[in-house]
Amino acid sequence: MLKVAGLHLWRGERHVLRGVSFAATPGQCVLLTGKNGAGKTTLLRAVAGLLDPEQGEVSWRGTAARKSRDEFHAELAYLGHDAPLKGDLSGRENLRYSIGIRRTVTAPEIHAALERTGAQAFADRPVRTLSAGQRRRVALAGVLLTGTVLWLLDEPTTNLDSDGKRLVASLIEAQLAGGGIVVAAVHQDLELGSGHVVNLELGAA
Amino acid sequence: MKTGPLEAARLVMVRDLRLAFRKPSQLLQPLMFFMIVATLFPLTLTPELSRLRDAAPGVLWVGALLSSLLALEFLFRDDAQDGTLEQFALSGQSLTWMLFAKTCVHWLLTGLPLALSAPLAAVGLGVPAEAMWSVVAALALGGFALSLIGAISAGLTLGARRGGVLLSLLTLPLAVPILVFGADATQRAITGGEFAPPMYLLGAIAVLGVTLAPLAAAAAVRIGLE
Amino acid sequence: MGTWTWFHRFGSPPWVYGFAARWAPWFGVAAVLCMLIALYGGLVLAPPDYQQKDAFRIVYIHAPVASMSMAVYATMAIAAAVGLIWRMKVAHAAAAACAPIGAWFTVATLATGMLWGKPMWGAYWVWDPRLTSELVLLFLYFGYMGLRAGIEDPQKADKASAVLAIVGAVNIPIIKYSVNWWNSLHQPATRLIGEADMDWSMVWPLLLMLAAFFLYFAWILLIRLRAELLRRERNASWIREVVA
């Protein structure tokens, strides 16, 4: 369903992505590994459509993602290095707006998602008073709430303790079990119990 | 169920308004700046109201322009820094439409209050009381057009070094028509001339801005997010 | 050989590099020739203006460079649009190469305007609508070059300045209209150049001078474009073959 073919991308002078190709079907997880600077974030952003590759194509459900960009975006959730939250709003308020822009979401749904990621306890404090790990839990609740098929996660376990890492793993497993696709950049190997996992190492060669 | 564009715009606007009112002191800064600039002119020119009246359109509009430039820096900056602007671009909603919503809120929070408080400055510049409403109307309309044009430069300078100075440099030439027609309207309001023609032209620029500027701003923001 | 083949040729840096190398000198020669003939026609053959006498002759430089300052901006905006829509590196390089040339033409317009203003009006600067518009145009050029300089990533710089060039191009007619409006409010006519009927003996040197400056622009553009391509593609393999 997601197909990446022959992606070449330059950032300034550097040839960061050199003909990257992979494909993923529902229930599959693609784990991107590689050293810092290998291009994991660049690849995720290129798949998301934030970066324009010089060569190659990203296709979703058979059509080029670039052609039906808004429809493609409606079906994906992207989580970058920093949790995209406004510091002066609470976690709950943040989600109400950021998810509300995408789809109609009810208060019980938000409550359930925050509960699932263990963020319910601090969901009503301003985000700037939260620790990095707490923010990440709120952000993960946001990913859950999008209800999208495709998840693009850039180092989702950053700032999380071992409980948190297990949480991420279980969230991904549930997503895969429900027929979703996950493309995640990871530093250390993510322990995924079930689900078809494809490893893609960047920067080798 | 996917959110409709009107509801999405409403949420964007409510969020921005909420955020602005959590830091009310920041709202007052552009207004204070405008007042200070308006005070500088009598100090450097003359205290004679009759002579200040001649310079009033220029003082009001240059002051309004400079305050708007200061405020424009904040249109996208915070959202760009915490990653929420990126999420707008990935939301599946039209980025053009959402940036237009943000620009409208920006005007509601800076351009409109500036226009409404202009009489305070105008009184000190010898502007007669009968002209006040027209002065407010011209500044309000011109301020809206300015916010629209400024959104383009704000988007273009998102990742640039010394973005603030560059933003001003980019916006000023593009703002010349707004200044010319706005100052002319204000001048006619003061002297009791035909107020309508320059206002129509200002309105035409605003309409053109509404249709084209958010598109350019969205293109600029997407480039800035790369 | 359809038009599309030509178009794609223009998208290839090595081809354009070679094209520029071969053709630039010809443009240069043609420009100098036209300029010499036009100058002779304007400075020697044409009669002095009955009002301004010989001071009028500065129009033979002032008017063409003024037109060129606009023409170069239009070229820059079109090249930028082509680069943005068809994602052509060469088009972006061409737009970048145009900017300083256009800025210089604008400075030349302002300078010749000021040189003319002194004998005409007794002042070095008059808020003539043409000069005022040119001043704003100069700021537009500075903004474009400033934006390019302010963005680190070269591809982002290309794309952002392309958007700016297009926005500027759309705005220029509006700016000119507003400046003319402003000028008509305050003085009936502070025009340096009367668009009165000019004798053919005055017109042909003007037109030839304009053509000369166009050729000059093409010449300098091709030289700058080569330098621009050399800088951008310095790590590409085709450069090594060419330079060797």
Side-chain angles (χ1 to χ4, degrees), chain B residues 10-11 18 51 59 61 66 73 83 85 100 113 126 150 156 159 162 179 196-197 201 204 215 224-225:
Chain B
R10 188 192 72 87
L11 283 169
R18 259 238 166 104
R51 285 172 63 190
V59 174
W61 278 89
L66 293 177
E73 269 198 80
L85 192 61
F100 175 62
L156 287 172
R162 314 192 62 223
L179 283 181
L201 286 166
L215 270 169
L225 287 173

Side-chain angles (χ1 to χ4, degrees), chain C residues 171-223:
Chain C
N171 263 274
I172 286 176
I174 305 175
I175 294 173
K176 283 194 143 257
Y177 180 77
S178 69
V179 170
N180 287 340
W181 171 277
W182 160 77
N183 184 256
S184 69
L185 292 173
H186 300 278
Q187 278 153 294
T190 330
R191 295 192 147 268
L192 278 177
I193 302 180
E195 251 89 32
D197 343 77
M198 282 199 282
D199 186 55
W200 172 247
S201 64
M202 290 175 162
V203 170
W204 75 258
L206 261 181
L207 292 176
L208 189 58
M209 203 61 178
L210 185 60
F213 274 119
F214 250 110
L215 293 165
Y216 174 78
F217 166 49
W219 176 37
I220 301 293
L221 177 62
L222 288 175
I223 295 178

Side-chain angles (χ1 to χ4, degrees), chain A residues 45 86 88 93 97 100 103, chain B residues 3 18 22 79 86 225:
Chain A
R45 292 173 72 84
K86 307 285 329 169
D88 288 327
E93 286 172 321
Y97 294 119
R103 68 177 192 92
Chain B
T3 310
R18 259 238 166 104
R22 297 228 168 140
D79 285 352
E86 194 169 74
L225 287 173

Side-chain angles (χ1 to χ4, degrees), chain C residues 10-48:
Chain C
F10 274 112
S12 148
W15 190 88
V16 173
Y17 189 84
F19 176 88
R22 243 177 311 123
W23 284 96
W26 294 106
F27 280 110
V29 167
V32 171
L33 270 174
C34 288
M35 227 177 264
L36 287 174
I37 302 173
L39 279 175
Y40 184 70
L43 298 178
V44 176
L45 291 179

Side-chain angles (χ1 to χ4, degrees), chain A residues 34-83:
Chain A
K35 295 202 296 266
N36 281 331
K40 306 193 290 287
T41 301
T42 307
L43 178 57
L44 279 171
R45 292 173 72 84
V47 172
L50 291 170
L51 290 175
D52 232 354
E54 269 78 12
Q55 265 185 286
E57 199 179 62
V58 176
S59 42
W60 176 251
R61 296 186 192 274
T63 46
R66 206 183 329 141
K67 296 221 179 78
S68 53
R69 186 175 54 193
D70 286 341
E71 288 84 17
F72 179 44
H73 284 161
E75 295 206 82
L76 74 82
Y78 172 84
L79 185 60
H81 281 233
D82 301 311

Side-chain angles (χ1 to χ4, degrees), chain C residues 1 3-4 9 15-16 18 20 25 33 53 75-76 79 104 117 136 138 143 147-148 152 161 166 178 197 207:
Chain C
M1 207 56 104
T3 29
W4 244 183
R9 279 247 179 94
W15 190 88
V16 173
L33 270 174
K53 313 280 186 291
T75 311
M76 187 172 84
W104 273 116
V136 178
L138 186 62
L147 185 64
R148 264 192 180 280
E152 302 244 13
S161 53
I166 296 169
S178 69
D197 343 77
L207 292 176

Side-chain angles (χ1 to χ4, degrees), chain B residues 8-24:
Chain B
R10 188 192 72 87
L11 283 169
V12 168
M13 293 175 79
V14 167
R15 193 197 72 161
D16 275 2
L17 285 167
R18 259 238 166 104
L19 280 167
F21 281 104
R22 297 228 168 140
K23 284 247 167 82

